[in-house]
Every structure is written in C-alpha cells, then in structure tokens.
Amino acid sequence: MRENKSYYAILGLLSIGPQSGYDLKRTIEQSLGHFWTESFGQIYPVLKKLVDEGLAAVSSEPQTGKRDRIAYSITEAGREMLHDWLLKPITKLPPEKNELLLKLYFGHNLNVEDNLRHVEDFYAKLLQTRDIYTMISREAGPSPHPHRPDYEIMTLQFGQKVVEAIIEWCEETRAELLTYIEKD
Amino acid sequence: MRENKSYYAILGLLSIGPQSGYDLKRTIEQSLGHFWTESFGQIYPVLKKLVDEGLAAVSSEPQTGKRDRIAYSITEAGREMLHDWLLKPITKLPPEKNELLLKLYFGHNLNVEDNLRHVEDFYAKLLQTRDIYTMISREAGPSPHPHRPDYEIMTLQFGQKVVEAIIEWCEETRAELLTYIEKD
DNA sequence: GAGTACATGTAAAACGTTACATGATTGC
DNA sequence: GCAATCATGTAACGTTTTACATGTACTC
C-alpha cells in the first residue's frame, strides 16, 4: 500500500467523476482547500503513475473545433485501492506548523504592540475565512442524497468550528495584550 | 532574509538560553510541540550553518569527569536576524493537511459505520491531547514576569481552544452519523 | 494582435523524515 | 557487564513548491 496521500486525494476525487489534471487542481482548491493542497508538480506525475498502474484510465473525447478534452477516470482497481486506504486507521495527527504561534512564543523579543499587530493581522484573515465558509454553506443546497450523510458538509463544519475557536482566541488574546500596553 | 523557518525556531529558543542540539530537540517537543516540530536531520545542519554565519556561537564547557557540555548560544547578529523576522508579517496560514477530513470527504465510498469509527478514533486522541494540555497548564506556575504578557500561556490557550472546538465537532458529527445507522 | 486564461508537463530546489552509524555515560 | 539514555551527526529517501517551457483558445 502506497504511503503518499496525494494518490488517494486524487483517486478520491476521480471516484466522484472523471476530471483532467487542470480540473483536479481547481477542484482541490475549491472543495478540499481548507484541509488539503496539491500542486501541479504533484498532480501530473501522480496521474501518470495511476494510469501506469491501472488505477486510473485516460480518455480524450474529441471536441468540435476545440482541443480534445482529456479526462482521467478511476478504474475498478483504483476503487479497490482507494477503498482499502479509506478503511485504514488514520496514522498521525496533522503536523500543525503555525507561524503565528512560533512568532508569539518568542514575543518577549518584541514590544507588546508588535505582537498585537500579528494577532490582529491573523484575526483579519480569519474573519475573511469565516465569511468564505458562510458563503459556501449558503451556496451548498440540500444534500443530494437525503438518506445518506453529507460528508462534504461535515468537513466544512470542521473548518467552521476551528475558525470560530481561533477567532475567539484572537479576541481574548488581543484583550489580554491591550492590558499591557501603556495608556498615555 | 532566509525563508526556512527552522532557523528562526532554533534562534528563538537560543534567545531564551544556550542549549545543545539534543536539548533543542526536547525543548521543541515539550514547549513548541503543539504547533511546531523539528527533527535532528534539521537541527544539526541548521546549527552548523548558524555558526558559520555568525548567528550562533558554540562553546564547550569542560565538565569534571564527563564529556564536555556543548552549548550553542545566540550572537548579537543572531538576535538581530531573529528580531527582523519576528517583525515581519506572517506570510501564510498553515497548510493544514488533515487526513481525517480527507477520508471523511470521500466517505461515500465506505459504509457509515466505518466513517464513524474514524471519527471516534480521532475523538479518543483529542481527549488525550486535551488532558495533556490540562496538565501542562496546571504545571505552569504563575508568570515569571507578572508585568509582561505570558506568551507561552497564550500559545497553549490556542491549542486548548482548537482542541475543544474539534472535540465538539467530533461529538456532533458522531451524533449525526449515528442517525444514519440502521437500528435493528 | 495582444493579453489573459486554459492546459499540460518537467526540472530543480527546498523541505522534511527516517534510518543508520557512532560513541559516551548512567543505572541496574 | 548490559541496557537504556544521552548526544551528535550523516545519507538516503520522499515530499512539496517553484519556476520554467510550451502551446491552445478566448476576448477585447
């Protein structure tokens, strides 16, 4: 069983429907974006290997007047490998490298105002992220399969929960830092 | 200005006090652990380069009967570089690759029970993490500098907020998945 | 016709983990 | 004496990003 999870991310998307490499990049940004990324430098080599190993198949539909539309689709063997991986327990918690916390931890090297600025910048980005989540959840209509769990919404709710928590942390930390800033 | 943040993580720790490479590894695990990691394969080469560039200095204090104690300490040039980086705005939000969400997103390929199991496994790990945080925050005495912000506590609180949020998400997601499991 | 977005791909560099090698010291 | 831990370091491997190269199609 392959270790590199890029294979499963791509197989998983192909399990929903055929796509080109270019499509995959955008799909990943739009639907897995808040918990996964892949670059072209990964996508294309992975697609090639998937085809070599019979886990995906490539088909080019002729278009009228346009360049052929290339689409990769998952094979039965691909579905099987995806299924096996999905069943396997999760190996490790995410590495969680957080640049803000790294800077803040060493905050004693700066004055309070500069640390506060970092927190506020971060806060502003989080508010944007929250808005994006809100828009996505509004756009998402009712579940296409009402009798099945809506897994996509669940991953979105994860992002929303975490963002709300960090927003709260920013607000509390900001208030705490403000008490250390000299009033004139 | 160097891009690789390992340099700043190590410089930052050296700004608190001199340490050996081995010490650094443990310090990182213990104090930056919930938002940062470094392996020996990074620490030792970075230390070497820091010394080459005059950003850190190495000193070996002779020990009675023991092997010399090697300690790296930050230089003035090192402090300056650390300071410059600390002032710089944070470039990007963490990449956040989350294996659980990746699996869950493709949950339609599994039955509900198997997805539930993943959530429950994750939940169990989170409860452990929460306990660890609780212990750390109990062990941490009052701030050594009551007139300065306690940045260490702030990073810990970040971790606690996030863990609480994800615990809640697990509980809600679990409940939701249970409604889709056939009762016999 | 010029510029932008579409589309595919490769190469190099950077980043990061793991495994290994080596040897000293401590505790049983 | 043996095992565990301390301590340092390197090499190999795998992952990931970035930059580049190439060409097509659409839109102003």
Side-chain angles (χ1 to χ4, degrees), chain A residues 76-92:
Chain A
E76 264 317 301
R79 269 186 208 283
E80 220 170 286
M81 178 156 143
L82 174 65
H83 188 259
D84 289 349
W85 174 75
L86 284 172
L87 276 179
K88 267 184 43 180
I90 283 124
T91 48
K92 47 182 170 181

Side-chain angles (χ1 to χ4, degrees), chain B residues 9 16 65-66 83 105:
Chain B
I16 298 169
K66 288 190 205 174
H83 188 259
Y105 190 91

